[in-house]
Amino acid sequence: MMSFLNNLFLMPLANSAAPAGTENVTHMMTELVLQLAVIIIVARIGGYLFQKYLKGPSVLGELLSGIIIGPYALGSLNIPLWGPLFPPLDSSIPVSTELYSLAIIASILLLFLSGLETDLKTFMKYSVAGAVVGLGGLVFAFFLGAWITIPFGIADSIMDPQALFLGTIATATSVGITARILSEKRKMGSAEGVTILAAAVFDDVAGIIVLAIVVGMSKVGAAGGAINWSHIGFIAAKAVGFWIFFTVAGLLLATRITSVLKMFRSNETIAALCLGLAMLIAGLSEMAGLAMIIGAYIMGLALSKTDIVNELQEQLHGVYNLLIPVFFCVMGMMVNFGAMRSTLVFGLVYSSIAVLTKVLGCGLPAMLMKFTPRGALRIGFGMVPRGEVALIVAGIGVSSGLIGQDVFGVAIMMSMLTTVIAPPLLIKSFEGGSGVVGGSKEVKDDVMSIALKFPSDSVADFICGRILNAFRNEEFFVHGLHTDTPTYQIRKEEMTFTLIHDNENITITTPVKYQLVARMIILEEILTLQDLLESVKDMKSPDSMGNELMTGFF
Amino acid sequence: MRDRQQFFSRVNMKLLKLITEQTILLNLVSTNKNDVIREIMDSVISGTTDIDPANSDHIFKELLVRESKMSTGMQNGIAIPHCKSQYVNTMHVAIGISQSGIDFEALDGKTCHVFIMSLSPINRTGPHLQFLAEISQILSDERIRDRLLEAKTNAEVVQIITGT
């Protein structure tokens, strides 16, 4: 469809000797750029409004924006001289391949960053409790999520691809949403906090393996014939094998990889190369028959314990902010309310089951792991949000043609409802005391503080900058945290110091065994200040400098 | 080597290679602070092509300037004279041992027996102070200090410090 606008604006670009396909490509690119323009603007504004006025996560605003402007709503309206901006397509994915590709790249970035956010050390410490809790939630959610399709006539048995997929979608847990709430409430270090996180990570891993098995089973089922259990066993072994091999290899090689990357001495280059590696592993995991997001997550997890993790998050923040709303918006565009109308009741029942299976399935095992009912409830609520993980799983199902638009709509509805319901419940449940039998057991390292007091805030501010620079010169990574009181995390390999600048005070928290390193770097910097004071004395008097600056003012 | 890993980070395991038999002075002859700094510094300069001997006075002055701000004589007979200098392109480390001990204006007032000198480039990043801190950490163990003072050969000193 060559429009008047296209001719008007793109004629100068067209080469008379261009091959016949050029105009098509040009038109396709123009369409993509216009679609992206609308998506970026609408999704960002939608997310902003949702956060500001409805006090919900911006992700929901982005999803709703997608639903509104998508091919099943406003997107199908004819724009004069152009046609529909998002024409509905006759395929399992109702948006263009180019747009969907961008959403996939965004999902890889999202899971890579989720992996980076995982605190490996705490995760290991609470991994047993987390695994038991995660497994409980997974089993409950999978079987009930799959079984509920039978009374509603959506599937004949739980071996039906639609039932298997709805079971898998119900198992997902969004680490990002839970983690964000925990860190805002400063509960990341609590026993419940780390157990939720460890369980959510276990859930992700196990859920991904379940997904691989389900995709394999569904493909066999869809192709007809008997289900080949040895083939499924092979898929399961490949999934578990790939996960374990790359996770172990990643964790063992992470420090070596980063020490090689550090030779570039440029944070921008390091971040770009790490993202490249994440995409490489993502591609490999796809070749191994798993979803690409697994590879990206493994890479993130491997790098999560290195000293460049904060730099990576900082560097990729911009790309994240730009691409992630596009992903959620495109996911929203795939919602076909027309197809969902017939399954609205089922969607609500399925969403309720999704909430209950996590609260009970994770809460009951938590009570076996020394948590009080209060603590168990916190963990249960923490596992409820499905967020992007359920959407990605559902996206895989719909793009491979294994689930229909109606089931996809149900998955989106469940993902949205659980994401809306869980945060207020989780926040409310964290009011009150400890949720551990016999009181709280916080994870604490053997640390000590070095406190320095200066004559004024501005002197402390100046010296704080100098000290941070001294650490940078010693090849530490310095990362400013977004807190009210200026706080910096200073990292190198397994060493982590925290520097807090509070008015005229500077406090450095250091693990006892590395205190000598911190003391020596700070001492040397403070001694060089003497040189600075001497050189300040040699400066021209402020008066004469002032006079020079003022000359010619009027 | 394995037992050293508790003191040295991976990056500084590489820097440990700077400590060789050529950079050890087992029997220092100097009897005062300035002389001992000069003696160890001269041995560093004579053992490398990286530093122009013509600049030795400049480097010596830089070492003394650092001492004038605050003595690098720590506690328990350890001193770590060091400086950053524009006349040095890579980090150099040397270890000197004085059986009789030298007054180095140490924090605890005791004489110093073990001297770790480091010269590092002024305009390059690197774990220079971290390396000194990690060596100091090793020498905070009294048994290791005693073994150093009893060492008979340079190879023995290298073995005690680096664990190889």
Side-chain angles (χ1 to χ4, degrees), chain A residues 307-340:
Chain A
D307 53 8
I308 58 168
V309 64
N310 292 331
E311 295 302 322
L312 290 178
Q313 286 169 322
E314 188 86 356
Q315 293 290 337
L316 297 172
H317 198 65
V319 191
Y320 177 89
N321 272 337
L322 186 76
L323 275 182
I324 302 303
V326 174
F327 166 70
F328 286 116
C329 192
V330 169
M331 285 291 149
M333 287 181 164
M334 295 167 132
V335 178
N336 183 350
F337 277 113
M340 226 156 77

Side-chain angles (χ1 to χ4, degrees), chain B residues 7-8 25 39 42 50 67 106 118 123 131-132 142 151 156 163:
Chain B
F7 297 112
F8 284 93
L25 291 124
E39 186 180 355
D42 284 344
D50 174 49
E67 290 299 325
S118 84
N123 48 7
F131 186 66
L132 269 182
E142 197 179 348
E156 222 177 314

Side-chain angles (χ1 to χ4, degrees), chain A residues 37-100:
Chain A
V38 172
I39 288 173
I40 289 170
I41 293 166
V42 175
R44 288 298 319 191
I45 293 174
Y48 170 82
L49 293 176
F50 207 91
Q51 201 170 17
K52 192 169 166 69
Y53 296 106
L54 298 174
K55 307 284 179 234
S58 53
V59 85
L60 293 172
E62 290 154 13
L63 271 169
L64 283 171
S65 310
I67 293 171
I68 294 164
I69 63 168
Y72 299 113
L74 297 182
S76 59
L77 297 178
N78 258 317
I79 297 169
L81 309 175
W82 181 264
L85 185 61
F86 296 102
L89 303 173
D90 276 343
S91 71
S92 55
I93 306 164
V95 293
S96 70
T97 312
E98 299 79 29
L99 199 55
Y100 190 70

Side-chain angles (χ1 to χ4, degrees), chain A residues 162-199:
Chain A
Q162 308 245 60
L164 289 173
F165 255 94
L166 279 173
T168 313
I169 291 162
T171 63
T173 289
S174 167
V175 191
I177 294 166
T178 309
R180 207 172 309 151
I181 294 166
L182 287 172
S183 68
E184 275 172 17
K185 298 291 293 174
R186 304 213 174 287
K187 293 290 177 194
M188 207 62 132
S190 66
E192 298 92 326
V194 286
T195 306
I196 290 170
L197 226 68

Side-chain angles (χ1 to χ4, degrees), chain A residues 96-113:
Chain A
S96 70
T97 312
E98 299 79 29
L99 199 55
Y100 190 70
S101 310
L102 266 172
I104 292 295
I105 290 167
S107 72
I108 288 172
L109 177 68
L110 183 69
L111 268 285
F112 175 52
L113 284 162

